[in-house]
Amino acid sequence: MGSVAESGRRPARSGAGRWGARAHGGVRTRRRGGRGGRGGPSHRRGDHGGVIVEFAATVPFLMLALALVWQVLLLGVTAMYASHGAAEAARQAAVTPDDMARVDEEARKRVRAPWDGREAMTVEVVERDGARFAQVTLAMPVFLPGASGPWDVTGEARVVTEVEPRGVTP
């Protein structure tokens, strides 16, 4: 055999760079610890599954935010139905002031199910400060329409009298 220059191979250097040569037989092995033995392993073993754990920790907060947005949406829909029902009740009370059943029926036509149920909706005409007002009160649903909660939403509209009630004398 010839010299190293004749064979075209480079001699193995011990401890050179990332891959060092073993003292016995020149077998190349990877050093433990990577990066010259400092800074820990080349791939971080403690981070496996970290994203899953972080996602699992944020899921309850995302669900809470979604539930709050849904509840605000239900509040808005309930207030809208109360307002529409009160406007319709005021219109009907102006035309037929003595027929409270008709006023109730017309107000319920403007409100969709399940908000229009007998236990969820009340309609009344009240007098205050010399004027008459139609009030529609709806039970505020909690998470599901039809699941009544402890709160009520009231819509009110002024009755512009077109026909005097029979019981009132001018």
Side-chain angles (χ1 to χ4, degrees):
M1 277 224 153
S3 68
V4 174
E6 292 176 4
S7 68
R9 289 198 216 158
R10 299 168 104 199
R13 296 184 306 182
S14 63
R18 197 167 187 177
W19 296 89
R22 280 189 159 179
H24 303 292
V27 178
R28 294 180 169 228
T29 60
R30 186 173 181 153
R31 284 191 199 171
R32 298 186 81 202
R35 297 191 185 174
R38 297 179 189 221
S42 61
H43 64 293
R44 295 179 291 198
R45 293 184 181 134
D47 285 351
H48 292 297
V51 173
I52 294 171
V53 171
E54 289 174 5
F55 178 71
T58 59
V59 166
F61 294 110
L62 292 173
M63 297 303 284
L64 179 65
L66 182 64
L68 287 174
V69 167
W70 177 250
Q71 191 62 41
V72 168
L73 178 74
L74 285 177
L75 174 66
V77 169
T78 303
M80 179 194 68
Y81 282 146
S83 175
H84 289 325
E88 192 64 28
R91 186 196 66 77
Q92 191 61 40
V95 176
T96 59
D98 296 323
D99 191 2
M100 196 56 197
R102 180 77 190 261
V103 172
D104 185 76
E105 177 186 342
E106 291 299 318
R108 288 183 191 280
K109 285 182 181 179
R110 294 291 296 210
V111 179
R112 301 265 186 227
W115 284 271
D116 66 344
R118 293 285 174 201
E119 64 281 345
M121 179 177 174
T122 59
V123 179
E124 47 188 359
V125 177
V126 297
E127 279 198 44
R128 188 175 64 237
D129 300 329
R132 295 175 59 211
F133 294 91
Q135 287 184 342
V136 173
T137 302
L138 297 175
M140 176 66 206
V142 177
F143 294 117
L144 296 173
S148 297
W151 308 286
D152 291 333
V153 176
T154 300
E156 186 175 87
R158 185 165 188 243
V159 177
V160 179
T161 305
E162 295 181 14
V163 178
E164 288 295 325
R166 293 183 203 154
V168 177
T169 57

